[in-house]
Amino acid sequence: MKTFRGNIFITLLTICALLPFCTFASAANGTTQEKSNYYFVYNSSNVDSKDLAAIKQYVAKFKNTNNVLLDAKNYKEAAKLYDALKGDQKKRGGKVAGIQIFGLASDVPSFVYTNKMKPSAGNFEWNGVEEDKTQKFVTDFLYSTFKNDSKYLKDVSVYGIVQENRPISVIPEWPVSRLPLTKGEFAKYIGNYDAYRKQIEGKSVPTVALSAPYQIQDGNAQDDIALFMKRLKEDKEFSLFKNTDQRFYYKDLAANLSKENKAGVMDLVVGSQGDNEGATQKKAYFFDRKGVAGLNTNYYTAFFWGFTAAKGLNANSIVHDGLAKGKMINPIAHTVPAYNRGVYNYLWLPIPTPEGETGDDWHGDVAVNKELLKQDNSFFFVYKYYEGIDSGKTRLQSFFEANAAYATLTVANKNTPRTLFGFEQTYSAFGFGNLFSLHYLGLADY
């Protein structure tokens, strides 16, 4: 009997070795080792043979997931593609590990976002609703959960979620990344990505920030991401970047960017008011589509903060040109105008009475700490992102976890008005906008 049972066990192991997605139930603990599904979505009409071969080689490097290659050529609307992905997942069962998209929004559709929100109660002259009626924006954010009914996802807005109570979940459950390139461009980039990984192996990559703040309040550059990142390292409450060099620039930004690119690989951060054409300082571009093509001495990751570097998820942006023509790797960027209201390095708050003074109603500028970041401050996302990086997680995993934490905070505060610098607003409205805006534009890490 023992020999018979042993033969059955050996036979089962042999069958599993021959099947691509075999799961094996353990008789000892009754559990099943089940792989999660990772979706790789492309448009067969918008890749050439070299692109498709490179994509398949890339997908094959994901060893711990069930890898599903899905052709989106027949899906012209994001809601229909969403239903196809959702339906496939239901049939397969298990969990979703992530979604990787290959293509521009015209190749693999993004959701449509209308920039409409009501951050203010308004007054007798104005109902408090802010709406851009001139243009539509795009977002991939809604691919991050299958809890939604697609009929509510055809034209989303913050106003629709908060004021109209549309049943739309905004808590991401898995990472979504898009490589916004098109036919003839994928193979080269995938090769660049592999070369970049080899270049940084075993190295501590410096973080280089170019900051052109413009939201100045009481002498403070409130939207200065470099200042906030410096505090993330120096303030004991945060204590991040422990093993990472930081270098910050506020002047001669184009020249310093070129110098850093020639010096070696870097994690680049750019804070600016710019647009899809590039980053600006006093309305003049210091990093634009022409310049990004020439920034090609060493590879670099990019984190574009505060401007629509990836607007439209099309070929007309600094992000696309950096990926296709330069050596930019896996940028994080906005597709929707980034509302900087609620982005504060300092808050005007009560402070202890200064020595030698009287009274108990003293106020002053207080640097935001962990607790104050929870007041709908967009820097909360930046903090959580670098917290993940500091703990050794990949950029995409850190991005996803920061997004999930930021979304959870935003939902919790969606009906909480705050008075900051004399203005009472529901600042979470801008948080929702940022969730739909921020994108990871490159390749998931295998």
Side-chain angles (χ1 to χ4, degrees), residues 42-112:
Y42 75 108
N43 185 327
S44 60
S45 298
N46 293 92
V47 295
D48 62 23
S49 58
K50 290 183 178 179
D51 291 332
L52 187 56
I55 288 172
K56 288 182 177 180
Q57 288 175 358
Y58 162 75
V59 172
K61 294 179 180 179
F62 285 73
K63 303 297 185 182
N64 299 316
T65 50
N66 291 334
N67 302 325
V68 184
L69 200 60
L70 191 148
D71 187 354
K73 70 176 181 180
N74 294 324
Y75 302 103
K76 305 303 180 185
E77 298 177 7
K80 292 182 179 179
L81 175 57
Y82 179 88
D83 282 341
L85 289 164
K86 186 176 179 179
D88 185 272
Q89 171 62 18
K90 185 177 181 179
K91 289 180 182 178
R92 292 177 186 274
K95 297 180 180 180
V96 177
I99 296 177
Q100 169 69 54
I101 300 170
F102 298 91
L104 307 174
S106 56
D107 300 333
V108 178
S110 266
F111 293 93
V112 175

Side-chain angles (χ1 to χ4, degrees), residues 195-209:
Y196 157 77
R197 287 184 56 138
K198 291 178 181 178
Q199 186 177 7
I200 66 168
E201 189 173 0
K203 293 182 179 179
S204 176
V205 179
T207 297
V208 176

